[in-house]
Amino acid sequence: MPRFDEGRPEMTLEEFRLLRDHVYAHCGILIHENMKFVMERRLWPRLEALGIQDFGSYHRYLRYDAQRSAELEAAVESLTTHETYFFREPAQLKAFCEELVPILEKRNAHTRRLRLWSAGCSSGEEAYTLAMLLKESGRFDDWDVEVLGTDLSRRVLAVARRAEYGPSALRATPPDLLERYFIPVGVNRVRVRDDVKAWVNFGHHNLSDVAGSQLVPRSDVVFCRNVMIYFDLAARRRVLGVIRDRLCPGGYLLLGHAENLLSLGADFELVHLKGDLVYRRPELPGGEGR
Amino acid sequence: MSDTMQSPAGQEEARYRALQAVDPRAPSALETFTTGLHDESWRVRHAAAEGLRRVPDAPGVTARLISVLGERGETGARNAAAEALAGMGPVAVPPLVHLLEHEDPDQRKLAADILGQLGRPEVEDVLLRALSDDDLNVRVAAAEALGRMGGDAAARALEGLLDAPTLLLRLAALEGLASLKRAPPLERVMALVEDPGVQRSALRLLGLYAPGVATERICRALASPVRSVREAALVALGKQAVGLGPYERGELDAVARSVLSGIPGVTAHVAQALDGDDVRVRAGALVAAGALGEASLAVAVAEVAREDRLLREVLFTLGQLGPEGRRLLLGSMGTLSLPARTVAAEALVLLVDSTSVPELCALLEWAEDDLRAVVVRALGRTHSPDAVAPLVELLSDPTLSAMAARALEQLTVAHPLEALAALEAAVEQRTTPAAVAVLGRLGGARVLPVLRRIARDEDASWRAAAVEAAGRADGEAGLELARGALADESPKVRIAAVRSLGQQGGREAATFLGLALKDEDRGVRVAAVEAVGVAGAKERSPDLEALVRHGDGALAMLAVRALTKLGTVGTGVLWDALSHHDAEVVKAALPALGSAEASADGAALAMSLLGHPRWDVRVAAARVLGGMGRPECLPALQQAMSVEQDALAQVALAEAVVRLSGR
């Protein structure tokens, strides 16, 4: 029986490091040495698409070709796992709804304005989930609400804007919410309802790009779940700096269940909710910056 | 003061910020930070511990921290002090070794714990002595510390503890040996697997042994009603499988299969483990699933691909589940997660035959490019004429067209007429210029009239495709079209002409390439430099030599490569290339140093690059020197090896030293 990868070029350790360093310099994503096989496998289709014979040539293509910027984006897209689905990590979402949402309603009652940022939103499931949960709470019906989803990959943002999903994305969606917030559009496919879409915006953003982060509005809550896993310590600190800057004082940061800010300094306060641990940007003295 | 600042959180924030603002060089810093170690907030204590590491008087700080360790009742402060000491490095070693002599066993235990975290090999002897401490907790802490950083003596000592009368010590010994990856005689561990108190640790240690008896015992543990025992067994099984060659892996699978197939309900246990949180358990579950060859696990196996680190094992396991497993995957495509769908598609490629085209075309409806790329490859492997039409259609997809073209080439072997007819129709219907390129490659001289017509098309992409395709279809016609195309107003067409000329070769092509090397467009010049090398146009060497000094790294690097290909690299040019600011140019020049002409100066040049700031240049220089076979380079290589910090460069230097020493 033939192997899966017959006829494909192998990536030398040297090529791996050159490509890894190039990707890291671009977006802070660090690929560990034990992931060489994964990198090789994920980049094969790129070599095939470009008609390039080996990974050394691919590295030179990324450095010199006129299309290098677009190709670097394509490479990073291939290297990151865009695995997400609606209502992922329900315990955290429950804590958000039951404990943070009432606080946000009270805090922002005078402005009736709410901003959430889904950083590393992939194909949009998380951003739409948040909008649905806010709708579900019934607290913000006549508020100015925006959930901003950002991602490094332009391709997944296109999927997010289309807002059409299949069974895999919906595998954790409760049936009643499926009925309330989605419209069937074909066999096994649904589209997010327009009133939910109206609360959600998407944009391209490299979390490592400190200057570019100025385009992200100040948010009351940032969801940055399962994104930090791609960064090394230095890049995590940089990204956390960006997030802290874009959070309103007193605003909350929610990470994935396997992530924490230990050994990253303590620019955030750890807040023990009943159902989860979350982080909060400390209030400024005297409440300024609200 | 505002409400915010008066709140507990605000006060904590104020203390935290105050500590962060402390200048560690200030005379009072030591006491301020030490006070901070006693704060009620972990954030403040953490900030204090970090601050202490920055105080310049390291011995003074260490002494103060040691005194905090002695403050019974101040658990938070003691933990923070331990954290700070563990971060102090070698300076903390002498006082901690001294603390191991303290009369209070609690102090001695803390000292052993911190020494373990420091991980300094020079304290191995001290910790070995602590294994004879009167206090059990100290002995356990010393065993755990040795398990973190010990050498041969530590491993022997831990092995000696396997028979200790105390459960805790036996546990620490087992865990330590597993952590050190030191396998004691198998029979000793096998005996401990029967001891319920240490069974899980013993099982995990069994993962260090070669497939065989250990595999059998590990797999028998999967019959345990206790989940944690089964998980420990799976961790061991996964560990055993790591890095095995095909023969040993086959042996492991055979043993595992014979045991697992006799365990009732094992498939359900494996399925549960495949969905678990611990990546090591999932890795072992993949091995078990593969050994069982249980097709019903296919979906669960594919879903493990969500964990990047297990991708290789997932692909291997899917290959073990046979056609039935892959058929199950195909039926579940719609509900699989994206990573699972991608690996499932890879598995599918091996299954396809001439009847698979409709199923594959259905998969093309999925949006993910990586999955569609796999499907395109699979279509080429079907050897079915039904695959021609969808592949021709895919030529218009920019992401997939190159792969579709290659798949079409595969199909053309079996169905040349169908493929050419479909391509001609696609060209007539102006589907995509990519169809022209494939048509030229597959159709030969018979499609020249079509190509000549398209070479006059108003769309530059079509003209470019025709010019390049003509070069592949017929040399003479290709040269004629390329010459005309060099005067095209579109750089895209001129680049196509240059590539075609590179393929043609010959004196006339060389002349035209000389013009292209001076083109106003950078893209054309880059293509021309490459084409000169491909065409073997030695007469263009002077043009290339001038480009080696070019500030554009791409042009300079390609010029060096082309000159190397032509075999016309002179020493002067090499010197220019090796001093280029772009490391890729330097690396491109290095292989030319071994040539006969350059070899006299080449060794000296390569040796000078052993100190280059870039690791990849140092690696390339070491390889070149290794290949030159000049023993006089040995001292320079050895000297470079003694100061090299980069792991890859160290390996390259060591290999070069071995090669030169052996001559």
Side-chain angles (χ1 to χ4, degrees):
Chain A
M1 183 177 278
R3 285 172 34 210
F4 287 115
D5 49 359
E6 61 176 0
R8 289 172 164 184
E10 278 191 29
M11 182 187 279
T12 66
L13 194 52
E14 195 174 333
E15 289 163 346
F16 166 76
R17 277 178 51 177
L18 289 169
L19 287 165
R20 178 194 66 179
D21 293 351
H22 200 68
V23 167
Y24 179 77
H26 168 59
C27 59
I29 288 176
L30 185 72
I31 298 147
H32 292 282
E33 219 153 85
N34 63 3
M35 300 287 278
K36 178 170 155 289
F37 175 79
V38 175
M39 189 184 214
E40 186 178 270
R41 225 168 170 87
R42 297 257 172 91
L43 291 181
W44 270 334
R46 297 308 314 150
L47 268 66
E48 287 195 317
L50 298 167
I52 288 175
Q53 303 298 321
D54 59 81
F55 287 99
S57 304
Y58 184 62
H59 170 246
R60 286 189 286 276
Y61 185 96
L62 286 177
R63 282 212 52 200
Y64 299 126
D65 196 86
Q67 305 298 319
R68 58 186 177 272
S69 296
E71 183 51 36
L72 190 52
E73 268 193 36
V76 171
E77 247 174 49
S78 308
L79 292 170
T80 47
T81 307
H82 302 296
E83 156 58 4
T84 180
Y85 46 91
F86 286 93
F87 300 96
R88 190 181 189 185
E89 298 190 20
Q92 187 178 58
L93 295 177
K94 186 166 182 276
F96 167 71
C97 292
E98 292 178 359
E99 300 183 64
L100 290 189
V101 162
I103 296 172
L104 294 169
E105 185 193 21
K106 196 172 158 194
R107 271 174 56 107
N108 293 10
H110 62 296
T111 61
R112 302 179 76 74
R113 187 173 185 274
L114 188 64
R115 293 289 179 266
L116 270 63
W117 177 20
S118 168
C121 70
S122 190
S123 37
E125 287 90 330
E126 179 178 271
Y128 289 126
T129 296
L130 298 177
M132 289 171 199
L133 291 173
L134 293 177
K135 290 252 176 221
E136 223 22 42
S137 76
R139 296 168 187 263
F140 306 103
D141 289 345
D142 51 356
W143 281 43
D144 170 15
V145 176
E146 182 188 76
V147 181
L148 174 68
T150 65
D151 203 277
L152 185 59
S153 160
R154 293 177 211 271
R155 182 170 67 84
V156 292
L157 288 173
V159 178
R161 286 183 201 280
R162 203 182 311 137
E164 284 186 18
Y165 299 94
S168 173
L170 300 161
R171 60 187 187 263
T173 306
D176 56 327
L177 297 184
L178 186 63
E179 195 163 321
R180 251 195 315 279
Y181 294 111
F182 296 89
I183 305 164
V185 288
V187 182
N188 285 334
R189 288 188 79 74
V190 295
R191 184 166 56 229
V192 176
R193 234 174 50 184
D194 283 349
D195 60 326
V196 177
K197 284 174 76 178
W199 275 9
V200 184
N201 263 322
F202 292 101
H204 176 253
H205 179 237
N206 178 349
L207 279 168
S208 278
D209 178 4
V210 177
S213 69
Q214 297 306 311
L215 297 174
V216 177
R218 278 283 176 92
S219 303
D220 300 289
V221 183
V222 176
F223 279 78
C224 186
R225 305 196 294 180
N226 308 303
V227 175
M228 298 284 189
I229 48 173
Y230 292 111
F231 299 114
D232 72 347
L233 203 60
R236 276 183 210 176
R237 287 210 168 101
R238 203 162 53 239
V239 170
L240 279 173
V242 165
I243 290 175
R244 187 182 191 280
D245 180 61
R246 300 329 295 160
L247 259 179
C248 302
Y252 294 90
L253 165 63
L254 281 77
L255 300 173
H257 71 269
E259 301 170 299
N260 61 59
L261 301 186
L262 289 177
S263 75
L264 283 166
D267 281 346
F268 291 89
E269 301 166 340
L270 186 65
V271 180
H272 293 258
L273 301 178
K274 272 179 257 163
D276 198 9
L277 293 174
V278 301
Y279 292 90
R280 180 170 58 200
R281 177 180 168 171
E283 298 275 6
L284 294 179
E288 62 182 276
R290 295 280 294 271
Chain B
M1 188 183 280
S2 72
D3 289 347
T4 310
M5 291 303 286
Q6 283 174 340
S7 70
Q11 289 167 7
E12 178 205 319
E13 183 66 16
R15 298 198 301 279
Y16 171 73
R17 290 187 185 203
L19 271 186
Q20 282 200 317
V22 171
D23 179 357
R25 289 162 303 182
S28 59
L30 177 57
E31 279 319 304
T32 310
F33 286 132
T34 306
T35 307
L37 288 179
H38 297 75
D39 198 279
E40 66 194 41
S41 153
W42 69 269
R43 285 178 70 228
V44 178
R45 294 199 299 272
H46 183 70
E50 286 207 325
L52 279 165
R53 286 185 215 156
R54 297 197 306 271
V55 173
D57 174 22
V61 172
T62 312
R64 189 75 184 85
L65 286 169
I66 295 274
S67 76
V68 175
L69 290 182
E71 295 176 13
R72 276 185 176 274
E74 291 282 352
T75 309
R78 293 173 92 192
N79 286 339
E83 175 196 337
L85 279 164
M88 298 279 304
V91 69
V93 170
L96 284 168
V97 168
H98 183 66
L99 193 66
L100 265 180
E101 305 295 323
H102 201 280
E103 60 184 18
D104 180 358
D106 198 39
Q107 296 284 292
R108 301 202 297 277
K109 179 197 175 301
L110 273 174
D113 284 341
I114 302 167
L115 284 170
Q117 287 174 50
L118 278 165
R120 307 291 304 181
E122 65 266 28
V123 298
E124 186 175 5
D125 285 345
V126 181
L127 288 169
L128 284 170
R129 281 199 297 278
L131 287 178
S132 312
D133 197 285
D134 294 337
D135 186 86
L136 173 64
N137 286 333
V138 178
R139 295 202 298 277
V140 171
E144 285 172 350
L146 286 166
R148 282 168 176 251
M149 38 61 74
D152 289 339
R156 280 194 302 275
L158 290 174
E159 199 182 315
L161 291 176
L162 290 177
D163 299 323
T166 318
L167 177 72
L168 270 178
L169 273 173
R170 291 203 300 276
L171 260 179
L174 282 167
E175 293 290 340
L177 286 166
S179 153
L180 295 174
K181 296 191 171 54
R182 301 291 189 119
L186 179 58
E187 57 276 14
R188 301 195 69 183
V189 187
M190 290 290 269
L192 289 167
V193 178
E194 309 310 325
D195 176 350
V198 296
Q199 185 181 31
R200 278 161 290 189
S201 298
L203 275 170
R204 281 194 289 270
L205 191 57
L206 281 183
L208 293 178
Y209 296 86
V213 181
T215 313
E216 198 183 322
R217 184 61 190 90
I218 290 167
C219 289
R220 276 199 284 122
L222 284 174
S224 168
V226 183
R227 181 174 171 160
S228 59
V229 172
R230 294 198 304 269
E231 290 187 344
L234 286 171
V235 170
L237 195 59
K239 204 187 283 180
Q240 269 203 316
V242 170
L244 291 183
Y247 175 76
E248 292 86 356
R249 181 58 193 264
E251 196 183 345
L252 181 141
D253 287 339
V255 175
R257 189 178 309 117
S258 70
V259 179
L260 293 178
S261 58
I263 298 177
V266 73
T267 304
H269 287 327
V270 173
Q272 183 188 47
L274 287 168
D275 195 33
D277 289 332
D278 187 333
V279 67
R280 298 167 309 160
V281 174
R282 271 179 286 161
L286 286 174
V287 179
L292 280 166
E294 177 57 55
S296 66
L297 292 173
V299 168
V301 166
E303 284 294 352
V304 179
R306 282 181 286 170
E307 173 61 56
D308 283 342
R309 284 172 287 179
L310 297 178
L311 184 60
R312 187 196 298 261
E313 193 62 38
V314 169
L315 285 166
F316 184 83
T317 307
L318 286 178
Q320 293 175 290
L321 301 187
E324 185 50 34
R326 291 198 282 273
R327 278 197 192 91
L328 274 172
L329 280 180
L330 186 57
S332 312
M333 279 292 192
T335 52
L336 293 176
S337 68
L338 192 150
R341 211 150 58 221
T342 310
V343 293
E346 290 240 20
L348 193 67
V349 172
L350 298 186
L351 183 71
V352 294
D353 57 29
S354 58
T355 66
S356 310
V357 175
E359 284 170 335
L360 291 169
C361 288
L363 287 179
L364 283 171
E365 298 300 315
W366 294 101
E368 296 85 22
D369 284 341
D370 38 5
L371 187 146
R372 296 170 77 224
V374 175
V375 175
V376 171
R377 281 178 49 226
L379 279 169
R381 291 174 73 123
T382 58
H383 302 297
S384 163
D386 298 339
V388 170
L391 285 173
V392 169
E393 201 172 316
L394 285 166
L395 289 173
S396 56
D397 184 324
T399 320
L400 299 174
S401 65
M403 272 169 274
R406 273 191 288 280
L408 272 169
E409 280 181 44
Q410 269 183 295
L411 283 178
T412 312
V413 177
H415 308 285
L417 294 180
E418 286 93 337
L420 281 176
L423 284 164
E424 278 173 345
V427 169
E428 285 307 319
Q429 290 158 22
R430 293 181 68 81
T431 309
T432 166
V436 178
V438 187
L439 185 64
R441 198 150 58 238
L442 304 183
R446 61 166 277 195
V447 298
L448 273 177
V450 178
L451 298 180
R452 282 206 173 89
R453 176 165 54 80
I454 299 174
R456 295 190 297 275
D457 198 279
E458 63 182 83
D459 184 326
S461 298
W462 287 82
R463 294 201 300 279
V467 168
E468 203 164 348
R472 293 178 190 276
D474 180 279
E476 200 178 325
L479 194 63
E480 181 197 333
L481 283 182
R483 186 181 55 198
L486 272 183
D488 199 287
E489 69 276 19
S490 163
K492 193 185 280 185
V493 181
R494 301 206 294 281
I495 288 172
V498 163
R499 286 197 189 130
S500 176
L501 289 167
Q503 295 294 330
Q504 311 294 324
R507 184 179 294 275
E508 216 172 340
T511 307
F512 297 142
L513 286 173
L515 294 172
L517 283 170
K518 298 180 179 67
D519 196 281
E520 63 191 27
D521 183 84
R522 176 189 179 268
V524 178
R525 291 201 302 278
V526 165
V529 174
E530 229 168 355
V532 167
V534 174
K538 288 190 178 183
E539 55 269 58
R540 296 269 68 92
S541 295
D543 299 328
L544 297 181
E545 284 172 7
L547 285 172
V548 169
R549 288 185 294 274
H550 203 286
D552 182 329
L555 276 170
M557 181 267 295
L558 289 169
V560 175
R561 289 167 77 93
L563 284 165
T564 308
K565 202 178 265 184
L566 296 173
T568 56
V569 192
T571 310
V573 172
L574 266 182
W575 183 252
D576 287 340
L578 292 169
S579 52
H580 201 280
H581 66 85
D582 190 321
E584 291 298 325
V585 184
V586 181
K587 283 194 291 180
L590 269 164
L593 290 177
S595 71
E597 191 198 339
S599 130
D601 298 325
L605 283 172
M607 281 193 288
S608 72
L609 291 170
L610 291 174
H612 196 278
R614 291 267 314 215
W615 65 267
D616 48 332
V617 174
R618 300 199 298 277
V619 167
R623 285 189 187 142
V624 165
L625 283 167
M628 277 182 161
R630 289 173 165 268
E632 68 268 24
C633 302
L634 206 48
L637 283 165
Q638 285 165 330
Q639 161 64 21
M641 202 162 76
S642 69
V643 295
E644 182 58 65
Q645 298 292 313
D646 182 87
L648 214 54
Q650 273 173 352
V651 171
L653 286 163
E655 284 171 359
V657 166
V658 168
R659 287 185 75 179
L660 293 191
S661 311
R663 286 176 198 269

